[in-house]
Amino acid sequence: TLFRSRSEERRVGKECKFVHQEGPDRSTDLPNTEPPGADMHHDISRRRALAQLSAASLASLSPWALAQSPITVGFIYVGPKDDFGYNQAHAEAVAEIKKIAGIKAVEEENVPETQAVQKTMQGMISQDGATLLFPTSFGYFDPHMLAIAAKNEKVRFAHCGGMWTEGKHPKNTGSFFGYIDEAQYLNGVVAGHMSKSKKLGFIAAKPIPQVLRNINAFTLGARSVDPKITTQVIFTGDWSMAVKEAESTNSLADQGVDVFTMHVDGPKVVVETAAKRGKMVCGYHASQAKLAPAAYLTGAEWNWTTAYRSIIDAARTGKPHPNFVRGGLKDGFVKTSAYGSMVSEAARKNADAVKAKMMAGGFDIFSGELKDNTGKVVIAKGTTLKQTDPVLEGMNYLIEGVLGKI
């Protein structure tokens, strides 16, 4: 199987076809010393051996290699694939998907959340023959993906992060996401142990539900260590705003924040700026440890390969399109970065204990009574919201302990 970028594929124009051709038969060059009937006996034995070999070969293949149709899949990123963040996490998963026989992946990066993404999606369908698309940025969903899906009813669309709703959105569309707030909660536990000022900083792009959920989970994790800890949040206004990210990090550092995390597409600026100021960081999306090894405590990472595999598998085997795909730590959708050398033993033990409960399905992040940062009760006493509860997908508040406004 050949896997090319979209631009390379168009340069080549057509897929190459490989034909296995056996070498010439050299049996006639040798003297015949076999008894009469031996040729027929050997022919039968050879066929049996080949049949056994074929069966053994098929048995050794993974289920993914069997009963699967070839497919062209399109992946669209809002930023560069090497951003040390959101887009890189997706690109790393696509690199794994490309290794699977029968899958041709076409990719396009730096596609804005405008009409441009509609042109990209339609181009992948019309020119590349894609029958399954993964538009990965939040703003691609409505109206862009929905508009293209309506025009291409036989093509499947799987959006990252959108809230697909039965009866409202087309059946050939869907959404997938991971409960990365679990890993952000663990970030908070470590940050709570390591902070000396008890002031944490969160640099965020936009106050959408997924971002608010991460801010709140991070704060809850930290306040489980010390209820007096606060998280100060600054919204930059967009997914990639390098200047504002640096300014915001420096501003919070000036105010005494000593541990940072973030929810922006490329955490590189926040990580490096915080490290230069002598502060500590908890990463996001992918590992940024090598950017600041002396400052990196741990991180919340995606493992998009799990979601990609399940959605692609359904398309290749003719199963119904999975419209709503979610999973957390125990499902392999998200993971945590390795601890930095400076992380204390107490922090490690606490975070590991909570993680073990999450992996066993016995830990709930959002339980009442819980108030927002205006004093309003947002989760009543005695109420526990499971990760699968759709209420969490519409989170629209900052909890008590978060300094900032939506």
Side-chain angles (χ1 to χ4, degrees):
T1 305
L2 295 180
F3 306 111
R4 309 183 180 94
S5 67
R6 191 173 172 221
S7 59
E8 183 185 355
E9 173 65 17
R10 287 176 180 167
R11 286 199 303 270
V12 176
K14 295 182 179 180
E15 291 184 52
C16 294
K17 294 183 179 179
F18 294 89
V19 179
H20 173 70
Q21 191 171 27
E22 292 188 9
D25 185 0
R26 302 295 185 188
S27 62
T28 55
D29 297 338
L30 301 175
N32 183 8
T33 59
E34 300 292 339
D39 286 346
M40 180 178 294
H41 172 75
H42 285 171
D43 186 53
I44 293 172
S45 298
R46 181 173 177 272
R47 290 179 183 176
R48 285 176 180 170
L50 286 172
Q52 291 170 353
L53 179 61
S54 298
S57 298
L58 286 172
S60 68
L61 293 174
S62 67
W64 249 73
L66 302 174
Q68 300 278 349
S69 299
I71 189 172
T72 298
V73 187
F75 301 87
I76 308 164
Y77 317 115
V78 73
K81 296 192 292 181
D82 57 353
D83 64 354
F84 281 96
Y86 183 75
N87 298 290
Q88 181 170 318
H90 279 287
E92 288 175 351
V94 173
E96 293 301 311
I97 293 299
K98 286 180 178 181
K99 297 176 183 178
I100 300 171
I103 298 177
K104 186 177 82 171
V106 290
E107 304 170 83
E108 192 154 333
E109 57 189 329
N110 296 311
V111 181
E113 296 174 328
T114 64
Q115 291 286 331
V117 73
Q118 294 194 33
K119 293 179 181 179
T120 295
M121 285 188 282
Q122 191 59 57
M124 287 181 170
I125 296 167
S126 302
Q127 299 176 47
D128 299 303
T131 54
L132 171 60
L133 294 183
F134 287 93
T136 62
S137 191
F138 183 81
Y140 291 164
F141 185 72
D142 189 1
H144 307 301
M145 189 190 82
L146 296 178
I148 298 301
K151 297 175 183 178
N152 299 273
E153 296 182 355
K154 293 183 179 181
V155 177
R156 299 184 181 207
F157 297 79
H159 177 262
C160 187
M163 183 63 177
W164 186 89
T165 305
E166 178 78 36
K168 180 180 179 181
H169 299 125
K171 288 285 188 180
N172 65 327
T173 66
S175 75
F176 65 98
F177 207 62
Y179 300 132
I180 203 163
D181 54 333
E182 294 175 354
Q184 275 288 19
Y185 185 97
L186 297 174
N187 273 354
V189 171
V190 173
H193 279 276
M194 298 303 295
S195 175
K196 293 180 173 61
S197 67
K198 305 303 177 184
K199 295 180 180 180
L200 312 180
F202 203 115
I203 309 301
K206 302 178 181 182
I208 63 171
Q210 291 94 332
V211 175
L212 299 177
R213 191 166 169 177
N214 277 335
I215 296 169
N216 293 335
F218 176 74
T219 304
L220 286 169
R223 286 167 72 89
S224 73
V225 177
D226 186 343
K228 295 179 182 179
I229 288 177
T230 60
T231 301
Q232 191 161 341
V233 61
I234 294 180
F235 293 103
T236 62
D238 214 336
W239 299 115
S240 184
M241 302 284 284
V243 174
K244 286 189 176 180
E245 290 162 14
E247 291 175 347
S248 300
T249 304
N250 278 318
S251 174
L252 293 184
D254 290 341
Q255 297 173 57
V257 167
D258 62 355
V259 183
F260 286 83
T261 192
M262 70 296 292
H263 190 151
V264 295
D265 268 5
K268 186 175 186 289
V269 172
V270 177
V271 171
E272 292 183 333
T273 303
K276 288 177 182 177
R277 293 295 302 270
K279 310 302 180 181
M280 296 171 283
V281 290
C282 292
Y284 187 59
H285 292 314
S287 176
Q288 294 88 40
K290 68 179 182 179
L291 294 176
Y296 197 81
L297 299 176
T298 184
E301 300 183 37
W302 298 106
N303 181 26
W304 293 122
T305 308
T306 305
Y308 282 162
R309 279 179 175 269
S310 65
I311 296 168
I312 293 172
D313 177 57
R316 295 185 73 187
T317 56
K319 297 176 184 176
H321 185 44
N323 302 117
F324 194 78
V325 178
R326 296 291 189 274
L329 281 166
K330 66 183 179 66
D331 308 297
F333 279 57
V334 300
K335 56 187 178 181
T336 56
S337 302
Y339 296 124
S341 59
M342 75 294 292
V343 177
S344 68
E345 188 64 24
R348 294 171 188 243
K349 286 184 177 180
N350 192 346
D352 286 345
V354 176
K355 183 178 180 180
K357 291 179 181 179
M358 289 178 173
M359 295 292 286
F363 188 89
D364 300 303
I365 297 174
F366 297 100
S367 297
E369 184 180 75
L370 188 64
K371 296 179 180 179
D372 68 12
N373 62 358
T374 69
K376 177 184 176 182
V377 175
V378 288
I379 301 178
K381 186 176 181 179
T383 299
T384 295
L385 298 180
K386 298 293 184 181
Q387 289 290 64
T388 54
D389 196 314
V391 172
L392 293 177
E393 301 264 350
M395 187 172 285
N396 60 358
Y397 54 84
L398 295 169
I399 64 164
E400 184 178 21
V402 178
L403 307 178
K405 295 182 180 180
I406 297 175

